[in-house]
Amino acid sequence: MELLAAEAAGRGMAVRAAEEPGLVGPAYWYGGPVAGARLAQRLGFALLEPTDGWLAELPEEFTGRQVRAGTLADAWAIDRPTFVKPPRDKSFPAEVHADGSRLPADLDPATPVLLSEVVTFAAEYRLFLLDGRIATASRYAVFGRLDPRPLGADRTDRETTAQLAEFADRLAVAAGPTLPSAVVVDVGQLLDPYRPGHRWAVVEANMAWFSHAYAADPARVLDVVLRSAGPREDVRPRDAAFERR
């Protein structure tokens, strides 16, 4: 957040904390969904985000695994190891559950969830997408452990960057209209148990205004954030369907 604040200030933008009195709009937002929803109407910004079922509706060509949308009640009924996550609001930790008995019992049974078969990602990358193209990206995990690294530092990184761009281009062609014009998509190198090497697959999609930049270029991250949570009157017609209500 500090890097984005410094970049915004360098552009002549006033950076204020949500708790400060006297805030007026129109404004842009970078922060959590609860405070964002509370302030959006008063400050006049629109929050763009992918739909809850986006990943489950994506062709398996891009997910590399079976993913289905359901509710917490559905998750309570699972009887085999399954990766369970809330699609956007992080109401409980995203992780593999041996069965449904270990999931929170104090939440609304109708809480949306995504259920996925268990797979292994060798490395995971965060893509900040603007109009279907990568504005900036960063590695953020290796075999599930946090390990941020900027791209482009060596030959291997350049090859990875080229592969990410090719995958993002295919995703934009196949599913571009199903995402807001400014969004974060996490992708990873999915290990294939039947042959050496890996394949690229989507991990998840997230709102750019509530996504860690890791080692991505703060200037380009800010470009995406400003589009994803800016004045309501600036929302493009194609993005109206993705505004958080």
Side-chain angles (χ1 to χ4, degrees):
M1 182 174 291
E2 290 80 6
L3 291 175
L4 294 187
E7 176 62 29
R11 299 185 188 187
M13 303 175 71
V15 179
R16 306 279 297 277
E19 296 78 12
E20 292 184 38
L23 288 177
V24 295
Y28 298 87
W29 176 255
Y30 181 75
V34 175
R38 175 170 51 84
L39 294 170
Q41 187 65 35
R42 177 161 67 87
L43 299 182
F45 56 77
L47 301 171
L48 304 183
E49 61 187 357
T51 61
D52 286 348
W54 180 78
L55 185 65
E57 295 165 3
L58 202 60
E60 196 167 331
E61 169 191 355
F62 295 102
T63 64
R65 63 202 187 281
Q66 293 184 344
V67 183
R68 66 183 177 96
T71 65
L72 189 56
D74 296 323
W76 288 335
I78 61 174
D79 59 1
R80 67 186 66 183
T82 304
F83 182 78
V84 184
K85 72 179 294 293
R88 50 177 176 163
D89 282 351
K90 319 302 182 190
S91 52
F92 60 88
E95 57 190 4
V96 175
H97 294 269
D99 56 55
S101 66
R102 298 177 183 272
L103 283 153
D106 57 345
L107 296 178
D108 185 343
T111 300
V113 299
L114 292 173
L115 302 101
S116 168
E117 65 177 301
V118 180
V119 295
T120 299
F121 285 100
E124 295 168 68
Y125 298 83
R126 174 149 293 175
L127 312 183
F128 286 83
L129 301 182
L130 195 60
D131 295 322
R133 305 299 296 272
I134 299 175
T136 185
S138 167
R139 189 182 76 188
Y140 66 89
V142 175
F143 286 105
R145 298 176 64 88
L146 190 64
D147 190 6
R149 173 189 170 109
L151 298 181
D154 54 33
R155 178 180 174 183
T156 300
D157 274 350
R158 289 192 290 273
E159 293 175 354
T160 298
T161 301
Q163 292 173 11
L164 285 170
E166 189 273 336
F167 184 78
D169 286 345
R170 287 197 292 113
L171 182 64
V173 170
T178 66
L179 286 171
S181 66
V183 69
V184 162
V185 174
D186 293 340
V187 305
Q189 295 171 328
L190 186 62
L191 292 186
D192 189 329
Y194 300 107
R195 61 183 180 184
H198 65 265
R199 58 180 294 191
W200 289 101
V202 173
V203 178
E204 61 181 355
N206 289 297
M207 51 282 239
W209 45 269
F210 190 42
S211 293
H212 199 295
Y214 295 115
D217 179 354
R220 304 286 73 81
V221 170
L222 184 60
D223 290 339
V224 180
V225 169
L226 294 180
R227 173 85 68 82
S228 72
R232 182 168 288 108
E233 59 267 25
D234 293 342
V235 173
R236 302 179 177 195
R238 75 168 302 279
D239 283 327
F242 302 105
E243 183 178 348
R244 186 184 184 93
R245 303 296 180 183

